Amino acid sequence: MSPSAAGHASASARHRRTPQSLRAKLAVSFAAVAAGVTALVGFLSYDAAARLVRVDQQAVFGEVVHDLRQQVGRQRLAPGDFTSGDPDHDGPRDDLTRPAGTVVQVLGPRGAVLDRGNPALPVDTAARRTADATAAGTVVEDDDVEIHDDAYRMATVALGGGRGAVQVAQEFSDTEDLLRELQKRTVLFAGAVVVAAGLFGWWLARRITSRLVRLAETAEVVASTGRLDVAVPVAGGDEVGSLGRSFDRMLGRLARSVEDQRRLVQDAGHELRTPLTSLRTNISLLRRIEELPPAAREELVADLAEESRELTDLVNELVDLAAGKEDDEPVVEVALAETAEDVAALARRRTGRTVTVRAEGDTAIAGRPAQLQRALTNLVENAAKFDAAGTAPIEIAVTRTSGGVRVEVLDRGPGLDEGDMDRVFDRFYRAPAARSLPGSGLGLSIVREVAAGHDGVPFAARRAGGGAVIGFTVKGAGRPAGCGD
């Protein structure tokens, strides 16, 4: 494989990988955003739920302990009042177990267990001292008591006078188990959301990039084959659709440019053959110029000069036409009335003809002065060429219209035939009556190009009383250089 072929294959491989990587990036980005949002929402939700459950349980237990302390402080209660033998279930013990399902255990003097709880609560030194306390309502709390591998919070409240104490406990390990299960399910749910978001992101990225892939494939076909007539996908009203339409317009303009270039080369080759053939013939006669009579010599030299002049004019016209819109001449403010005066003065010196200028209104536009002068010069030279008798002046009319400026050149020549009206601005077209006259057939083509470059159009018509009216309209070629906002 040649280096160029290898480079092309490598570029093609990179091109094929690009849509896949873009698709993967979009999918990963979508999943990452979903993961971040899900993790944040899940964490905040779990934290809020856990706090609410824990605080609520702790508040309920604190309220039970508070009520117990107030109860033993107001009444002189004995340990027997809290035993589980109350048949009506309306004693002080039931008041403790109803709100939160607490475990109750009754202690006698010196911490002796009188009524064991279910499960049995531990009695440590602090609990015994509380049972012997003289002040009713003395409390000792322990928020982390382990009973049979279960976690409890426990409080011991003294009955006073050394009569004993009541122990209440609330299990919270089952709540923690519930919260751990909630945490696990939250994590699983978040994972499922991330996976679903990744799959949806992949589908969405595939849907979004499918048109980009088709555009890339179209560009690859254009780059590899050079074809400009490839169908471009332009569906959709979003940025991708706009890109497709812009790419389609670009290919259309490229195709027209290539076609114009091809036609220019073909037409130029056809037009160059005639003067070149004549020059070759005359040059071959130069070898026998000494054998020719003086009159023939003069005719030969004059013919050579004329052919070389026409060839020079043709080449210059071709160069100007080929440059066309690619001209780098800056856009400035141009007063077309002044340009017409300059062109008229130049035409008077060159042809000796009377050229008048008539201007109406403000004729200033934003344009390229050299191009506009060249177009106007071509029109005046065309009028002088066809009106060879020179009996009437050539008129240049420059008038302001609602849409821009209108430039007309009026002559009293033979006028235009009906069939020539639509073709006089075509490249290399020459009317039958003009084929014997000098010229390249490109002058009016340049007028058309200059008018198009200034957002205008050329026109041609018969003049009342004989002759022709040929000109163009201009609106402007953009913002004048150096103008501020």
Side-chain angles (χ1 to χ4, degrees):
M1 179 181 292
S2 65
S4 60
H8 180 71
S10 175
S12 299
R14 288 195 301 271
H15 170 73
R16 285 193 296 269
R17 286 196 301 267
T18 300
Q20 297 295 333
S21 62
L22 178 61
R23 185 177 300 166
K25 287 179 181 178
L26 287 174
V28 171
S29 300
F30 196 86
V33 171
V37 172
T38 304
L40 180 62
V41 172
F43 171 77
L44 294 177
S45 301
Y46 170 77
D47 185 68
R51 285 176 180 271
L52 183 63
V53 171
R54 287 167 179 157
V55 169
D56 182 67
Q57 278 200 331
Q58 193 167 7
V60 170
F61 183 73
E63 186 176 352
V64 169
V65 174
H66 176 72
D67 291 344
L68 176 60
R69 293 183 64 190
Q70 286 188 333
Q71 192 176 33
V72 299
R74 291 194 303 266
Q75 306 177 35
R76 184 178 177 82
L77 298 175
D81 296 325
F82 291 92
T83 60
S84 57
D86 185 3
D88 297 329
H89 299 289
D90 57 357
R93 182 187 183 99
D94 297 306
D95 293 336
L96 299 178
T97 57
R98 271 196 296 267
T102 52
V103 177
V104 178
Q105 181 169 280
V106 182
L107 303 181
R110 292 182 296 281
V113 178
L114 301 180
D115 189 355
R116 190 176 302 277
N118 185 23
L121 302 180
V123 181
D124 55 12
T125 304
R128 293 189 183 93
R129 284 200 302 268
T130 303
D132 291 336
T134 58
T138 303
V139 62
V140 175
E141 296 187 30
D142 191 348
D143 290 334
D144 188 13
V145 177
E146 185 174 336
I147 303 174
H148 304 311
D149 297 329
D150 292 325
Y152 287 78
R153 56 175 59 90
M154 186 176 71
T156 303
V157 179
L159 296 177
R163 295 189 301 276
V166 176
Q167 290 182 303
V168 290
Q170 181 188 56
E171 182 183 1
F172 61 85
S173 59
D174 56 347
T175 302
E176 293 299 323
D177 292 340
L178 177 63
L179 291 177
R180 279 192 292 271
E181 181 65 22
L182 177 62
Q183 185 181 44
K184 184 167 71 173
R185 292 192 179 188
T186 301
V187 171
L188 291 176
F189 176 75
V193 169
V194 171
V195 172
L199 294 176
F200 179 74
W202 181 264
W203 174 83
L204 185 62
R206 182 183 180 87
R207 184 179 178 85
I208 292 174
T209 58
S210 59
R211 289 181 292 161
L212 287 176
V213 171
R214 291 197 296 270
L215 277 176
E217 290 172 350
T218 302
E220 182 67 22
V221 170
V222 173
S224 59
T225 65
R227 292 175 52 200
L228 299 176
D229 57 346
V230 180
V232 179
V234 295
D238 54 4
E239 289 80 357
V240 178
S242 177
L243 175 63
R245 286 186 289 273
S246 299
F247 187 63
D248 186 54
R249 288 194 298 269
M250 181 189 71
L251 287 184
R253 294 193 64 175
L254 282 175
R256 289 192 297 272
S257 177
V258 170
E259 177 63 20
D260 289 344
Q261 184 181 28
R262 184 187 64 80
R263 287 179 53 244
L264 179 62
V265 171
Q266 289 179 347
D267 294 343
H270 179 270
E271 292 296 322
L272 286 171
R273 287 191 187 97
T274 300
L276 288 176
T277 301
S278 179
L279 281 175
R280 282 199 304 269
T281 302
N282 290 333
I283 290 172
S284 66
L285 290 175
L286 285 177
R287 297 176 180 176
R288 299 185 294 110
I289 192 170
E290 298 296 336
E291 304 173 6
L292 299 176
R297 293 179 189 178
E298 291 295 333
E299 184 180 354
L300 176 60
V301 173
D303 195 22
L304 282 171
E306 181 65 21
E307 293 292 344
S308 62
R309 186 185 67 79
E310 288 197 17
L311 184 60
T312 300
D313 290 343
L314 179 59
V315 170
N316 289 336
E317 299 280 9
L318 284 172
V319 170
D320 290 341
L321 191 61
K325 298 179 183 177
E326 302 300 325
D327 199 328
D328 293 332
E329 184 182 4
V331 176
V332 297
E333 186 174 285
V334 181
L336 287 177
E338 297 178 4
T339 302
E341 291 287 356
D342 295 338
V343 171
L346 181 62
R348 295 186 196 107
R349 291 195 302 269
R350 287 180 175 177
T351 65
R353 298 287 301 274
T354 300
V355 183
T356 62
V357 177
R358 174 169 48 87
E360 298 178 4
D362 180 14
T363 61
I365 66 161
R368 297 181 173 88
Q371 288 188 9
L372 292 168
Q373 184 171 359
R374 180 58 184 277
L376 193 50
T377 299
N378 286 356
L379 291 176
V380 174
E381 289 180 350
N382 186 74
K385 178 174 66 175
F386 281 93
D387 188 8
T391 57
I394 298 172
E395 299 179 28
I396 304 176
V398 184
T399 56
R400 166 64 67 175
T401 64
S402 59
V405 177
R406 180 182 179 91
V407 180
E408 299 176 334
V409 175
L410 304 90
D411 63 62
R412 289 298 182 184
L416 296 169
D417 293 335
E418 197 67 37
D420 296 332
M421 294 287 190
D422 298 330
R423 302 189 61 191
V424 292
F425 295 101
D426 292 345
R427 293 174 182 173
F428 300 109
Y429 177 77
R430 304 182 72 181
R435 289 173 185 170
S436 60
L437 298 175
S440 63
L442 292 173
L444 294 184
S445 296
I446 293 176
V447 173
R448 181 184 63 183
E449 297 292 337
V450 172
H454 291 76
D455 198 17
V457 293
F459 59 86
R462 292 177 179 178
R463 186 182 182 186
V469 180
I470 304 178
F472 58 91
T473 61
V474 289
K475 295 181 180 178
R479 194 169 181 81
C483 292
D485 291 332

